[in-house]
């Protein structure tokens, strides 16, 4: 039997938000989407004015921002750094951040400041998946497969070709610099 949600109040929204933020960090847009889903479920069972409750949600989120508990820039910077260490392409990073409702202008600014090296990102991607220069056996026989994996990862063809033609030692050096900043 499905659980019936409790009636929504501004205090309940504050408690939900505080609990959520004590467990994890997120963006304002993502948290707003989660809270509005909770509001809609409450309205389905208990009625109420969605516009009024949306105002409560915005008020609670404004309060959390003022208290420093919700900071899109800090969250996005942290996420960007993690995605870059994983070797994701700029296109994949952009899509990942947009999925969490990070504003497009913030994504543009952070990517411009970070200046991810696409070759280094592709090498990290290849290392993680043990393809291209990191493949143990049958490197040439698997070249087309590896090319497809890198292309689906969002890397341009010229970058893909550069990585697949790399010497394994050179690729490992580049990967280590990407991971440890050495």
């Amino acid at each position: 039997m499905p659980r019936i949600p409790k009636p929504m109040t501004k205090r309940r929204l504050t408690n939900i938000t505080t609990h959520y933020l004590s467990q994890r960090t997120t963006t304002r847009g993502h948290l707003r989407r989660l809270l509005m889903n909770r509001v809609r479920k409450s309205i389905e069972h208990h009625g109420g004015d969605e516009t009024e409750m949306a105002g409560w949600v915005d008020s609670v989120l404004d309060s959390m921002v003022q208290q420093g508990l919700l900071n899109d820039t800090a969250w996005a910077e942290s996420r960007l750094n993690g995605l870059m260490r994983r070797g994701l392409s700029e296109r994949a990073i952009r899509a990942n951040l947009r999925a969490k409702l990070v504003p497009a202008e913030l994504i543009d600014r952070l990517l411009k400041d970070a200046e991810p090296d696409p070759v280094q990102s592709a090498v990290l991607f290849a290392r993680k998946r043990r393809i291209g220069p990191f493949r143990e056996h049958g490197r040439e026989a698997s070249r087309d497969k590896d090319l497809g994996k890198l292309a689906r990862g969002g890397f341009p063809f010229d970058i893909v070709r550069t990585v697949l033609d790399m010497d394994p030692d050179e690729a490992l050096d580049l990967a280590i610099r990407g991971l440890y900043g050495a």
Side-chain angles (χ1 to χ4, degrees):
M1 176 169 231
R3 205 174 118 221
I4 297 176
K6 294 180 182 177
M8 194 57 67
T9 63
K10 188 172 181 181
R11 181 180 177 105
R12 181 157 167 67
L13 278 171
T14 302
N15 290 342
I16 291 167
T17 304
T18 304
H19 177 73
Y20 188 88
L21 291 174
S22 73
Q23 302 292 315
R24 62 191 56 88
T25 60
T26 190
T27 63
R28 180 187 175 106
H30 184 249
L31 187 54
R32 186 176 197 290
R33 180 174 31 189
L34 295 175
L35 293 174
M36 287 306 296
N37 286 341
R38 296 283 293 261
V39 163
R40 287 185 194 99
K41 286 179 185 175
S42 175
I43 289 172
E44 283 177 21
H45 288 86
H46 305 288
D49 182 19
E50 186 173 340
T51 307
E52 178 185 12
M53 292 183 191
W56 295 348
V57 168
D58 290 332
S59 172
V60 167
L61 293 176
D62 288 342
S63 172
M64 296 297 156
V65 168
Q66 288 173 353
Q67 294 174 43
L69 299 174
L70 194 58
N71 184 338
D72 282 2
T73 304
W75 184 89
E77 284 175 350
S78 175
R79 181 69 163 229
L80 173 70
N81 290 332
L83 295 173
M84 284 173 50
R85 279 192 309 275
R86 284 177 41 199
L88 268 64
S89 67
E90 185 175 325
R91 198 166 82 190
I93 290 171
R94 195 176 292 278
N96 189 295
L97 294 176
R98 287 298 299 152
K100 288 294 185 175
L101 302 178
V102 175
E105 52 282 351
L106 178 58
I107 295 171
D108 292 340
R109 183 169 49 86
L110 291 175
L111 283 170
K112 184 180 176 219
D113 291 347
E115 295 180 1
D117 176 10
V119 174
Q120 191 171 52
S121 296
V123 165
L124 288 169
F125 185 92
R127 180 182 168 272
K128 187 167 184 76
R129 286 155 185 81
R130 295 185 179 141
I131 61 175
F134 300 99
R135 187 177 287 281
E136 297 267 335
H137 304 289
R139 184 173 168 188
E140 284 304 314
S142 302
R143 186 176 172 88
D144 288 343
K145 274 185 170 180
D146 295 350
L147 189 143
K149 287 179 183 178
L150 284 161
R152 284 187 300 277
F155 296 100
F157 183 69
D158 59 327
I159 302 288
V160 170
R161 230 180 25 210
T162 301
V163 171
L164 293 179
D165 292 339
M166 255 186 202
D167 176 63
D169 292 333
E170 178 187 1
L172 184 60
D173 287 345
L174 191 56
I176 289 171
R177 277 188 301 218
L179 290 172
Y180 305 109

